[in-house]
Amino acid sequence: METIVNGVRLFYEDRGQGPAVLFVHGFPLNSAMWQPQIEYLSSVQSAYRVIVPDLRGFGASDVPEGPYLMETFADDLASLLDTLGLDQVVLGGLSMGGYIAFAFMRRYAERVRALILCDTRPTVDSHEAQASRETNAQLAEREGVGLLLDKMLPALLAPQVSGEVQSQVRTIALRNDPKGIAGALRGMAQRADATDLLPQIRVPTLIIVGAQDSLTPPDVAHAMQSSIPNSRVVEIPSAGHVPPLENPAAFNKALAAFLGEI
Ligand code: MLT
């Protein structure tokens, strides 16, 4: 399905019936990374309405000029919820999706019934990380997404992950436009620190992290947990930075347990 939000055409999946769960994808992926969760929550469990957009610049959505600030992505999501007539959702975000969830909490906290933070961090980029984002943005613009992906893939996934999952991730990422990839990289480099927000989060919060995540390691997840009052951490075995795809069975089990409680 698609709709226009803030002048941009957004593609989204909207499946199932019941309490609404909105999942926000990570970088350099798109809505397809949540396919196992869409299936599980809307069909196998038949208990939830799952909404999964391609953010601006990604997948089948429009690719406007960047940089894409996390606040802009959050405004797009709020407009999407308006379009769907949803006052409140459970909001889940992975990595960049987590940065966007923090921006959403700052602006629209009353619309979040519960929060799921996957493989993300509240802190900003170092100067080195900001410079490397600019290098990567220019690489994507010059050479396309493939080369950037070759550079990123080893750090994204657990070393023992199957070739099938590797090619799934590659296929998803290659569907993105280099211009959108560059816009998101430049937006992430400018993101605000969310450390002070954590103690103000009052909704039930599930923090999920791949046990072998080298980009946002379990230590980061446990530190966030100690700052968010009503939160807990689940570590997903045999998974790196993208546990929804690397170990969907364990990830879905953690989701179902949390959603069943709220
Ligand atoms: C992601 O998975 O969204 C990225 O690792 C986020 C980032 O580059 O900081």
Side-chain angles (χ1 to χ4, degrees):
M1 296 204 219
E2 52 185 56
T3 185
I4 307 276
V5 299
N6 304 322
V8 172
R9 195 177 44 85
L10 278 199
F11 167 86
Y12 63 98
E13 289 224 43
D14 181 359
R15 292 256 297 272
Q17 287 182 341
V21 186
L22 169 66
F23 285 117
V24 188
H25 63 80
F27 177 92
L29 302 165
N30 56 50
S31 61
M33 65 154 284
W34 297 110
Q35 214 43 245
Q37 289 66 49
I38 296 175
E39 290 301 324
Y40 181 74
L41 294 178
S42 70
S43 300
V44 180
Q45 287 238 328
S46 266
Y48 299 97
R49 178 173 177 186
V50 186
I51 297 142
V52 183
D54 281 340
L55 295 164
R56 62 168 65 205
F58 289 87
S61 291
D62 276 353
V63 184
E65 283 305 314
Y68 309 143
L69 301 181
M70 301 303 106
E71 291 76 12
T72 305
F73 284 136
D75 290 346
D76 288 348
L77 296 176
S79 299
L80 176 62
L81 297 187
D82 291 343
T83 302
L84 298 174
L86 288 166
D87 289 337
Q88 262 206 335
V89 291
V90 175
L91 173 63
L94 182 130
S95 199
M96 179 181 75
Y99 311 155
I100 297 165
F102 292 137
F104 194 94
M105 287 300 290
R106 288 231 192 252
R107 294 183 168 210
Y108 309 103
E110 72 289 350
R111 304 192 73 163
V112 180
R113 184 172 168 216
L115 193 58
I116 302 166
L117 298 170
C118 312
D119 301 84
T120 194
R121 64 169 75 247
T123 48
V124 292
D125 284 356
S126 64
H127 290 306
E128 292 73 22
Q130 285 176 328
S132 131
R133 292 215 196 263
E134 183 53 36
T135 304
N136 286 341
Q138 290 180 21
L139 177 69
E141 286 169 330
R142 214 176 43 239
E143 311 280 351
V145 180
L147 275 189
L148 177 61
L149 199 56
D150 291 342
K151 199 170 153 188
M152 290 184 67
L153 212 54
L156 274 184
L157 303 173
Q160 77 283 3
V161 88
S162 69
E164 192 190 336
V165 171
Q166 288 184 33
S167 68
Q168 239 179 330
V169 167
R170 181 169 277 281
T171 305
I172 293 171
L174 287 175
R175 252 183 247 136
N176 295 322
D177 188 308
K179 186 174 148 196
I181 290 291
L185 282 166
R186 294 188 175 116
M188 283 193 283
Q190 295 179 41
R191 73 186 187 277
D193 197 305
T195 310
D196 68 305
L197 174 77
L198 303 184
Q200 300 166 36
I201 296 175
R202 294 283 170 239
V203 290
T205 301
L206 173 64
I207 300 165
I208 309 187
V209 63
Q212 294 164 268
D213 186 345
S214 59
L215 297 176
T216 46
D219 282 0
V220 174
H222 289 283
M224 279 199 295
Q225 192 283 318
S226 63
S227 296
I228 303 178
N230 188 4
S231 67
R232 67 166 184 258
V233 182
V234 176
E235 284 190 35
I236 304 296
S238 309
H241 192 58
V242 196
L245 281 175
E246 291 174 271
N247 190 346
F251 189 89
N252 289 345
K253 192 170 158 213
L255 272 184
F258 177 69
L259 292 172
E261 284 169 22
I262 55 176

